[in-house]
Amino acid sequence: GEAMPFTAHDTSRGEMAHWGPQFLPDGSHILFVVISNEEGKTGLHVTEFEDPSRRRQVLSDLTRFIYAEPGYLLFTRDGVLLAQRFDTEHLEVKGEPITIVSGVAESAFDPDWGRFSVSATGVVTWLSARAELQLEWIDRSGETLGTLGEPGDYGQVALSPDETRLAVEIRDISGRYDLWIMNVARGVASRVTDDPGDERDPVWSPDGQELVFANFSGGGDLMRKQLSAGGSASTLLGDSGPYISEFWTRDGNTLLFVTAGEERFLSALSLDGDESVERLTEDRPDFDEPQVSPDGRWLASVSTESGQWEVYVEPFRRRGERVRVSTSGGGQPKWRGDGKELFYLTLGGALAAVDVGEGVQGPEVGAPTTLISADVLRAVVAGQNTDDYAVSADGQRFLVKRAADEAGRQRIHVLLGWPSLLEESGTH
């Protein structure tokens, strides 16, 4: 049959998304998460299946949960997996949450999005929190050339056009990211943003004098900041977001960004004075990471339209064929400085390369080759639609994130019979 909307966003409360629905045991009520750009409005809601307009908030500031017998909500706060009693008759939480386990990994994009799962038979699994990361330079064979900076909780990275500086996200103790600039020669980092926001996705201007980034605490506004002393940040694009900054064209006139709302599409923002916006693509499933080749001819991107993340290349602002580059999944495409070679990460964690040239109907793409296998690369990757590595213009060096020590590498843990912890705490 036809899929029909079940809930509707309350835009007066800044609602941007509803997700994670789960039926309660009575089959008549559903728990789900509301994401809002207004403070205090994001959280867990409960509604009636027969009348979804009858809903109310159960817990605030919660973005992921699992309901599990014997009647508990499981969720994370600051890397701690908690269980709190949920009264299914009165549809409300009871008492204080108890600790199940600490050291649970969190999403790179949300400090309360815990990476855990729970079964109906009392089994809990979780991914251990990642250790501190070290930025390392490697060559095309995977040999380590040196490290950059001190170990830290690094997010996405972006190398400046002249390769002398690195824009990098660094997460603070609250779980939010600020942007820093690291001197490549000295490994010393200086803060770029210092407000309580969550600044992500740094993009360099062609002359290396400015950064554009997304402020997700502001609902996903696009911000622009001069890097000279005393330079302040200004809003490039607000409202109707969230927007994700992606690529600044070499002529300096155009910024590519992705709108990540109910539809997901690529747009171009004019920076030559009029700040007009042109939509370049229609809605594509999970479309992300648009990267224009240095000669301006090709657009590389990722999408899940085939059922998994794959890398694609198509003519940029020209007619022509769109070609899938990866053969069995991939993401994070990066161009070599001459635009004749494209790098990407496979789903298995290897670094691959492929030749790209001009064909009759569009790009002529060669067969991908594995440059560095996953066990040699050992890169820490947040996802196929992030920027977890950087490549030099000559394509001979790669900057990757690795666990600072092998003992601290992430592992999946299993706990049997977690409800027994409730009896120990006296809350069962």
Side-chain angles (χ1 to χ4, degrees):
E2 182 182 357
M4 301 293 290
F6 178 64
T7 60
H9 298 169
D10 185 348
T11 55
S12 68
R13 296 169 58 86
E15 292 182 6
M16 300 184 297
H18 295 170
W19 63 39
Q22 185 177 359
F23 271 104
L24 288 174
D26 63 8
S28 299
H29 293 89
I30 291 178
L31 293 168
F32 67 99
V33 171
V34 171
I35 303 298
S36 171
N37 59 19
E38 292 188 14
E39 186 174 356
K41 302 297 175 61
T42 289
L44 181 63
H45 284 232
V46 63
T47 189
E48 298 178 9
F49 179 67
E50 295 299 331
D51 186 4
S53 65
R54 294 171 57 87
R55 62 179 170 100
R56 58 187 175 86
Q57 193 173 68
V58 174
L59 284 172
S60 62
D61 299 324
L62 186 67
T63 54
R64 181 169 186 256
F65 76 98
I66 297 178
Y67 173 85
E69 296 293 356
Y72 280 81
L73 296 175
L74 274 68
F75 54 92
T76 57
R77 297 278 196 224
D78 299 321
V80 178
L81 179 60
L82 303 168
Q84 188 165 7
R85 186 73 178 175
F86 185 75
D87 186 334
T88 56
E89 180 179 355
H90 298 94
L91 303 175
E92 60 186 13
V93 292
K94 297 286 188 179
E96 296 297 320
I98 68 163
T99 298
I100 301 299
V101 70
S102 59
V104 178
E106 304 158 343
S107 165
F109 295 95
D110 188 339
D112 289 327
W113 187 282
R115 295 178 180 262
F116 71 95
S117 188
V118 56
S119 76
T121 60
V123 179
V124 168
T125 62
W126 72 94
L127 185 67
S128 59
R130 70 185 188 186
E132 284 195 312
L133 304 179
Q134 178 65 63
L135 299 172
E136 295 188 21
W137 285 107
I138 59 175
D139 63 17
R140 290 176 71 99
S141 66
E143 289 291 325
T144 300
L145 302 175
T147 61
L148 179 60
E150 298 295 324
D153 197 349
Y154 298 116
Q156 299 180 100
V157 297
L159 197 61
S160 66
D162 63 4
E163 302 183 9
T164 63
R165 291 164 295 164
L166 182 77
V168 57
E169 303 168 350
I170 301 181
R171 187 159 57 172
D172 61 25
I173 59 174
S174 71
R176 298 182 182 276
Y177 283 95
D178 284 309
L179 298 181
W180 295 66
I181 298 294
M182 186 176 293
N183 183 289
V184 170
R186 299 171 55 229
V188 178
S190 302
R191 185 188 290 269
V192 175
T193 63
D194 57 4
D195 60 29
D198 197 19
E199 291 85 20
R200 309 296 307 270
D201 298 283
V203 173
W204 287 93
S205 63
D207 62 6
Q209 301 303 307
E210 297 179 86
L211 280 183
V212 167
F213 55 90
N215 179 3
F216 286 102
S217 294
D221 294 349
L222 288 183
M223 311 296 294
R224 182 177 187 174
K225 184 167 184 176
Q226 292 277 350
L227 297 179
S228 56
S232 60
S234 59
T235 301
L236 263 180
L237 199 61
D239 302 324
S240 303
Y243 304 115
I244 302 172
S245 43
E246 296 289 358
F247 191 86
W248 201 325
T249 57
R250 281 196 168 187
D251 59 13
N253 296 330
T254 306
L255 178 78
L256 300 185
F257 67 93
V258 169
T259 300
E262 293 186 5
E263 290 185 297
R264 196 174 185 95
F265 50 86
L266 175 66
S267 295
L269 173 66
S270 173
L271 299 177
D272 60 4
D274 61 358
E275 296 188 351
S276 60
V277 174
E278 176 189 1
R279 184 185 292 198
L280 300 182
T281 67
E282 296 305 316
D283 187 27
R284 293 177 181 173
D286 293 323
F287 177 89
D288 216 333
E289 296 304 301
Q291 298 290 302
V292 179
S293 61
D295 60 10
R297 299 186 62 79
W298 310 115
L299 176 71
S301 63
V302 298
S303 172
T304 60
E305 60 196 73
S306 68
Q308 66 179 356
W309 288 109
E310 299 281 5
V311 178
Y312 297 82
V313 171
E314 61 191 288
F316 181 56
R317 287 185 160 177
R318 297 180 295 132
R319 291 184 177 274
E321 183 182 5
R322 183 166 177 257
V323 177
R324 197 177 89 181
V325 174
S326 52
T327 56
S328 56
Q332 302 200 32
K334 309 287 181 189
W335 290 100
R336 195 172 70 190
D338 59 6
K340 296 181 179 180
E341 188 175 32
L342 183 70
F343 307 99
Y344 67 91
L345 296 178
T346 69
L347 296 186
L351 180 66
V354 62
D355 293 332
V356 179
E358 185 78 51
V360 176
Q361 300 295 329
E364 183 176 324
V365 177
T369 59
T370 298
L371 282 185
I372 308 173
S373 63
D375 59 336
V376 173
L377 187 63
R378 303 194 324 277
V380 175
V381 179
Q384 298 303 316
N385 60 333
T386 54
D387 292 294
D388 292 304
Y389 75 102
V391 57
S392 62
D394 61 7
Q396 300 301 308
R397 297 184 304 143
F398 303 89
L399 185 69
V400 299
K401 300 182 299 184
R402 289 173 168 172
D405 63 271
E406 288 298 303
R409 297 186 72 179
Q410 289 179 292
R411 290 174 172 81
I412 295 174
H413 301 261
V414 179
L415 173 66
L416 305 179
W418 74 267
S420 64
L421 298 176
L422 305 175
E423 299 174 359
E424 297 173 8
S425 67
T427 61
H428 189 52

